[in-house]
Amino acid sequence: MLAIAMMMVSVTLSVAQQPSAQEQAMLQRLQEAQIAGNDSAFYEAHDAFISYLEERQDWEKYYRMWMNRVIYEVNHRHFYRAFTEIHHLTDDIKERHQEQCLYISNMGLGFFYNGRNQPEMGEKHFRLALQGIDVEKDPVTAFNIYLSLAQSLSFKQPAEAMACLDSLPQQMLQNPLYESGVLGYRCIIANKMGDRESFDRYYAQYDSIRQHLPEQFNAANLQQVMVCHCLMQNDYQCALAWCDSIDVPLTATELRVNVYEQMGDWQQAFRASAIKDSLLQIAEREVLEDHLMDMTHDIETLKAEHDKAEIRRMQLWVVAIMAIVIIAMLIGLLIFRYKKNRRLKEQFLLLQEARRSTEAAQAIRRAFVSTMQQKLKSPINMLRGYARIFNDSKFMLNPEERTKRYTDILSAARSIESLMDPVLESYAQGTTGITDKEKQICMDALRSPLLTLISTAEVIIDSNGQIPHDEYLQLRNEVCRDAYRVSTSTHQFILFSLYSDNIPSPKTDRIGLNEIARSILNSYDLRPSAIEKNRTLAKEFKTEVADDVMVNVSPLLQELLNCLLNNADKYTTGGSVLMSCHANADGTYAISVSNEGSSIPAADAERIFDPFVRLNADEHSLGIGLPLAQRLAISMGYSIALDPEYTEGVRFVVTGI
């Protein structure tokens, strides 16, 4: 429909060459009705103008103005009406012996077939129209025909379409309005041919007119040209943005298909193609329904004139046959749609069943992991408790108490050991799954400290209090360290497995923002400093938010912030771990956690949120602290990001609270 819209403007301009004041008024009224798409206003204005031209016997303008009616019907997909108007126009030309104007009938048929997506037939009639005019005497009409012929050829013969544009009357191209319209169409064809050099040349001229002569710039094809320009630059997001600005859904969808195919995003291309097919089917159905209504009206009219001449009866037969054909086509389309809808329904039911099966499997897995979480809660808390107690260098046990305490630790560690294999296997079989390498990372991070903890506890138990004091303190430090690692890693892995499906977490608690942040910070236990003798660390809280600010939060907020605190605690070189509260411009709030030390390289800024990634090759952690924080944030509707402007260490910001 692109070329037809350009031609309709040109035809109107050609009609209006040196118009009188009365013609100018009627032409303005007609153009306003065309732009508004008001059928009744257009038909009334058109009938008034054509009657005026008939009275003046200005046949050239008369038939060109009649052609505007054909173009209007084609642009509004009233093909039956357009076809009828062409036949009436042809008969009128013959009756008035104005055969020199028969090229206008061929132009009308060219527009009709192009609008019906039959470019071969459109090409045939536009070539016949060219044979009926003198290009030198009538450059405006020649311009329109060559441009329309180029559109017909562009569907399957873009090279010939470009050659056709080269045949346009040069005097017409001296007008920036015509030149920019043609250049835009050249850009579209060059893009279709994949001719980058020609595209860049034509686009430079096109953009120059756009920038320097905006009042005379033809913006009819601007969005499509800009989509082509963005595709040539491989700027797919820009191309999609221009697609979104196109008012015609079918044209916008066709261009999106081209963008997604060039991106290699075949899933999106398939979805866009499905939308395109749906729009085409809707349009075809509407056209067929419109045809049927028009044909039904004509049949009734012909029946009322049954007593008229034989030619009228012949017209009735022709109209009746066309109505039968259209009805048959409509019935065929309905049958096709019925069968297609039935297949789609069957596929939909299969997808629903597969989805129910998947959701059932996920529910079973989540229930299993939740059960494991409850069973592991007690041993994890026990190990955390002992890690906290043993972290105090002033805490002492007499030899008689050691056996009991370390027996508790050994029991908790073995409970965790016995339950971790099924949890790990459950996660491996979940929707996300893990590779063998990731499974080995889990085994290394969970098993190694667990086995070390068990063996160290057994050594202390078996010694029966006979180990020298210095050696005992060293073993206790190892127990403290491993108990902390095991409890933290196990707890994080359970949560990571439980929330791997991005289950939404309801925000059921309403509490003060500063209150919840302080509480979480105060309840967090810093890593055992006994194993890091040169490390001193403090917890610090700052806020820019008033204490009376209340927010709705989920219990998972504590787990999220604990992950960030653990990361800050783990990689700080000293000073303090700082938690801060801030207000955002959009009315939401943010909580940041920062430490002092080395910053994260820009190349690793995205990788840190990938599960099981270790930035340090010598590190034996799980690598799921930050990925877990991100999953928990997503489940609560928040976002989490590394602050690139913070250079004193590392700062993560949770926004959207």
Side-chain angles (χ1 to χ4, degrees):
M1 299 302 292
L2 170 62
I4 293 178
M6 288 178 57
M7 285 181 270
M8 184 168 67
V9 174
S10 301
V11 170
T12 302
L13 291 173
S14 67
V15 171
Q17 292 174 353
Q18 299 179 348
S20 65
Q22 187 176 359
E23 287 180 4
Q24 285 182 339
M26 289 190 291
L27 182 60
Q28 182 176 358
R29 178 186 173 193
L30 182 66
Q31 289 176 333
E32 289 174 353
Q34 284 178 332
I35 295 172
N38 187 325
D39 285 358
S40 60
F42 173 80
Y43 295 146
E44 182 180 350
H46 183 269
D47 290 341
F49 203 169
I50 206 167
S51 298
Y52 167 82
L53 295 173
E54 184 177 17
E55 291 176 3
R56 295 173 61 88
Q57 296 188 356
D58 191 342
W59 303 121
E60 192 79 8
K61 288 185 179 181
Y62 175 79
Y63 291 121
R64 289 184 179 179
M65 180 52 61
W66 198 335
M67 180 55 55
N68 259 12
R69 173 72 170 262
V70 173
I71 295 173
Y72 183 86
E73 301 293 4
V74 170
N75 278 339
H76 288 79
R77 303 187 67 81
H78 299 153
F79 295 116
Y80 172 74
R81 300 181 197 176
F83 192 79
T84 303
E85 289 295 331
I86 294 169
H87 277 281
H88 290 169
L89 185 151
T90 304
D91 292 340
D92 193 270
I93 290 174
K94 291 178 179 179
E95 289 174 6
R96 299 182 193 274
H97 301 289
Q98 300 292 326
E99 284 77 10
Q100 75 276 9
C101 295
L102 282 173
Y103 73 90
I104 296 178
S105 296
N106 280 312
M107 286 178 66
L109 287 171
F111 296 153
F112 174 82
Y113 286 117
N114 269 9
R116 291 291 300 270
N117 292 321
Q118 295 177 274
E120 295 84 0
M121 293 297 296
E123 175 190 353
K124 171 186 173 182
H125 287 283
F126 284 128
R127 290 192 186 280
L128 290 173
L130 280 174
Q131 297 173 11
I133 65 166
D134 188 334
V135 176
E136 296 297 326
K137 292 183 179 180
D138 195 354
V140 174
T141 303
F143 180 90
N144 282 321
I145 298 175
Y146 273 117
L147 198 60
S148 302
L149 178 58
Q151 187 211 17
S152 300
L153 292 169
S154 68
F155 286 90
K156 296 183 179 179
Q157 306 172 68
E160 290 189 31
M162 193 69 80
C164 186
L165 293 177
D166 294 336
S167 302
L168 290 170
Q170 294 302 308
Q171 61 267 39
M172 296 295 298
L173 297 179
Q174 295 175 5
N175 185 328
L177 178 67
Y178 289 93
E179 183 184 12
S180 58
V182 173
L183 286 170
Y185 203 45
R186 284 184 183 274
C187 290
I188 295 171
I189 297 175
N191 176 71
K192 191 171 185 178
M193 295 170 63
D195 189 346
R196 176 65 178 271
E197 182 179 352
S198 297
F199 179 90
D200 290 342
R201 184 171 68 255
Y202 296 135
Y203 180 79
Q205 300 175 51
Y206 179 84
D207 193 57
S208 176
I209 296 175
R210 179 188 173 198
Q211 297 293 334
H212 300 101
L213 299 170
E215 298 83 4
Q216 303 178 60
F217 176 72
N218 187 341
N221 305 332
L222 176 61
Q223 291 95 338
Q224 297 185 55
V225 172
M226 295 311 298
V227 170
C228 297
H229 176 64
C230 293
L231 285 177
M232 285 291 183
Q233 302 297 322
N234 293 328
D235 190 349
Y236 303 122
Q237 296 305 317
C238 178
L240 290 173
W242 277 104
C243 290
D244 293 339
S245 69
I246 297 176
D247 295 330
V248 182
L250 180 58
T251 303
T253 304
E254 288 175 341
L255 291 172
R256 287 192 188 97
V257 173
N258 294 337
V259 175
Y260 289 130
E261 287 179 351
Q262 187 163 328
M263 289 173 64
D265 191 342
W266 303 111
Q267 184 176 6
Q268 291 292 348
F270 174 79
R271 292 176 179 171
S273 296
I275 295 173
K276 172 187 170 184
D277 292 341
S278 176
L279 291 173
L280 286 172
Q281 289 176 3
I282 292 172
E284 290 172 0
R285 186 182 70 239
E286 291 175 350
V287 168
L288 286 174
E289 290 173 351
D290 192 59
H291 284 3
L292 186 58
M293 292 175 62
D294 288 335
M295 298 301 297
T296 302
H297 174 73
D298 283 354
I299 291 173
E300 292 174 354
T301 303
L302 288 170
K303 286 181 179 179
E305 299 175 351
H306 185 267
D307 57 333
K308 292 186 179 180
E310 181 65 23
I311 188 170
R312 298 285 290 169
R313 290 195 294 270
M314 291 299 297
Q315 289 176 347
L316 177 61
W317 279 105
V318 171
V319 172
I321 291 171
M322 291 180 66
I324 292 172
V325 171
I326 292 174
I327 292 172
M329 292 173 63
L330 183 58
I331 292 173
L333 178 62
L334 291 174
I335 293 173
F336 170 77
R337 290 294 303 275
Y338 170 75
K339 292 182 178 179
K340 183 177 181 180
N341 288 338
R342 187 172 63 182
R343 289 196 301 270
L344 289 174
K345 183 178 180 180
E346 292 173 354
Q347 293 173 358
F348 177 72
L349 291 175
L350 290 174
L351 287 174
Q352 275 193 323
E353 182 61 30
R355 180 180 178 182
R356 282 194 293 268
S357 299
T358 301
E359 289 177 347
Q362 291 175 348
I364 292 172
R365 192 185 71 82
R366 288 196 297 269
F368 170 75
V369 175
S370 296
T371 302
M372 292 297 102
Q373 183 184 32
Q374 294 302 318
K375 291 184 177 181
L376 286 168
K377 184 178 294 184
S378 178
I380 288 174
N381 289 337
M382 181 177 291
L383 290 184
R384 281 184 174 176
Y386 277 113
R388 186 184 304 112
I389 294 171
F390 289 172
N391 188 40
D392 185 356
S393 59
K394 297 179 181 180
F395 177 76
M396 292 297 175
L397 286 171
N398 59 49
E400 292 77 16
E401 292 178 311
R402 290 181 189 176
T403 301
K404 174 63 173 66
R405 301 302 183 189
Y406 288 98
T407 299
D408 292 342
I409 294 174
L410 184 61
S411 175
R414 284 179 172 167
S415 295
I416 293 175
E417 180 186 27
S418 66
L419 295 174
M420 279 311 302
D421 280 340
V423 173
L424 184 60
E425 188 64 28
S426 169
Y427 178 70
Q429 295 178 0
T431 54
T432 53
I434 54 175
T435 64
D436 290 340
K437 181 179 179 180
E438 292 171 342
K439 190 171 183 178
Q440 186 58 44
I441 290 174
C442 293
M443 296 293 290
D444 176 50
L446 294 173
R447 285 287 187 185
S448 295
L450 187 62
L451 295 177
T452 302
L453 176 63
I454 291 173
S455 62
T456 305
E458 287 178 339
V459 167
I460 294 175
I461 293 170
D462 293 341
S463 69
N464 197 21
Q466 301 303 313
I467 300 177
H469 183 69
D470 291 342
E471 183 179 347
Y472 165 69
L473 289 180
Q474 181 179 353
L475 291 175
R476 193 178 82 171
N477 288 342
E478 293 177 4
V479 168
C480 179
R481 176 197 61 199
D482 292 333
Y484 182 87
R485 286 181 58 190
V486 168
S487 60
T488 301
S489 298
T490 304
H491 181 68
Q492 287 186 350
F493 184 75
I494 288 290
L495 287 176
F496 191 77
S497 177
L498 188 60
Y499 289 92
S500 61
D501 299 328
N502 293 329
I503 306 170
S505 176
K507 302 170 185 175
T508 57
D509 300 332
R510 185 164 182 81
I511 192 171
L513 180 65
N514 291 337
E515 178 184 353
I516 186 66
R518 285 194 190 95
S519 175
I520 293 172
L521 178 64
N522 292 335
S523 62
Y524 175 77
D525 292 322
L526 296 174
R527 285 188 303 144
S529 59
I531 61 172
E532 299 176 52
K533 297 179 181 179
N534 297 324
R535 176 177 178 267
T536 58
L537 194 64
K539 295 183 290 186
E540 184 178 355
F541 177 78
K542 291 183 179 180
T543 182
E544 300 173 359
V545 180
D547 285 340
D548 59 352
V549 170
M550 306 295 288
V551 292
N552 294 323
V553 298
S554 164
L556 291 181
L557 179 62
Q558 179 168 0
E559 299 292 353
L560 187 160
L561 294 179
N562 279 342
C563 289
L564 298 183
L565 289 168
N566 183 65
N567 185 79
D569 180 15
K570 182 176 180 180
Y571 294 106
T572 187
T573 57
S576 63
V577 172
L578 173 65
M579 180 181 289
S580 304
C581 296
H582 315 274
N584 296 325
D586 60 359
T588 62
Y589 299 92
I591 298 178
S592 64
V593 176
S594 58
N595 67 1
E596 299 176 18
S598 302
S599 59
I600 296 176
D604 296 326
E606 293 298 328
R607 296 177 59 235
I608 58 176
F609 290 106
D610 294 336
F612 309 111
V613 169
R614 299 169 172 174
L615 300 184
N616 187 347
D618 298 329
E619 189 176 346
H620 294 282
S621 66
L622 264 174
I624 62 171
L626 293 176
L628 172 59
Q630 186 180 61
R631 289 191 178 184
L632 294 175
I634 291 172
S635 72
M636 291 181 285
Y638 305 151
S639 60
I640 182 172
L642 175 68
D643 185 355
E645 298 180 358
Y646 185 74
T647 58
E648 298 177 5
V650 176
R651 176 161 61 197
F652 290 96
V653 183
V654 181
T655 58
I657 300 174

